[in-house]
Amino acid sequence: MNSISKFWNEFCQKNKIAPSALEGAYAFGANSHDADVLSDLINRGIKTATTSIYTSADDVPVVGMYSIVLDGNNQPVCVIKNETVEIMPFKNVTEKHAYLEGEGDRSYEYWRKVHEAFFTWECKEELGKKFTEDTEVVCETFTKVG
């Protein structure tokens, strides 16, 4: 049994959660440094939201499901539970959502600068499309539960 499975099984037993409630295990960010920084923010309860490019209905998180947050070494840090999931154009992401992401100085300006640069790169390099203000994104909020 690997460390992620062991972590999840122990969480399920302790909290009386069905193992099937796991949506996935993943690291936030584009590299191991980002994953370490962002997993720490989540673990400390500072980061309670995230935004990602919307690519298909299969990629949309489900409210009420759980995920394991991994660090830069793909080791489990904590468990989060999805609270809200919304799909909208990038230009419609709110200041409140940017603040809940917990990054940098938590300002909308900081959030927009960092996410616009990342999404421009991601769309071009990984998705083969152009990022615009109208590109749809998935905005999630979550709670750390373990």
Side-chain angles (χ1 to χ4, degrees):
M1 178 180 295
N2 68 34
S3 62
I4 296 169
S5 296
K6 182 176 187 236
F7 184 84
W8 178 243
N9 287 334
E10 289 173 0
F11 174 82
C12 289
Q13 289 174 357
K14 178 179 176 186
N15 295 283
K16 297 182 178 23
I17 303 287
S20 61
L22 180 64
E23 191 165 65
Y26 51 87
F28 286 69
N31 55 53
S32 63
H33 175 263
D34 289 351
D36 285 340
V37 169
L38 298 174
S39 64
D40 179 61
L41 289 173
I42 294 167
N43 198 33
R44 292 189 291 138
I46 296 169
K47 180 175 180 61
T48 60
T50 194
T51 307
S52 57
I53 295 291
Y54 173 71
T55 55
S56 73
D58 295 335
D59 294 328
V60 178
V62 177
V63 172
M65 294 292 281
Y66 298 85
S67 297
I68 299 170
V69 177
L70 304 176
D71 66 15
N73 293 315
N74 288 320
Q75 293 302 305
V77 174
C78 60
V79 176
I80 57 175
K81 182 178 181 182
N82 296 337
E83 299 294 335
T84 65
V85 177
E86 297 179 89
I87 299 170
M88 67 186 70
F90 178 79
K91 66 185 177 190
N92 291 356
V93 176
T94 66
E95 288 184 36
K96 179 181 178 185
H97 186 81
Y99 179 83
L100 292 175
E101 288 221 19
E103 300 170 32
D105 64 4
R106 299 184 87 170
S107 70
Y108 180 74
E109 293 74 23
Y110 175 88
W111 177 89
R112 185 176 170 84
K113 177 183 167 190
V114 169
H115 283 77
E116 189 169 358
F118 177 73
F119 291 155
T120 297
W121 171 85
E122 182 181 33
C123 282
K124 180 181 178 188
E125 299 299 324
E126 296 189 5
L127 302 174
K129 64 182 189 177
K130 183 178 178 175
F131 175 77
T132 71
E133 290 276 309
D134 293 315
T135 299
E136 289 190 315
V137 294
V138 179
C139 294
E140 302 170 59
T141 62
F142 50 81
T143 304
K144 177 190 163 194
V145 293

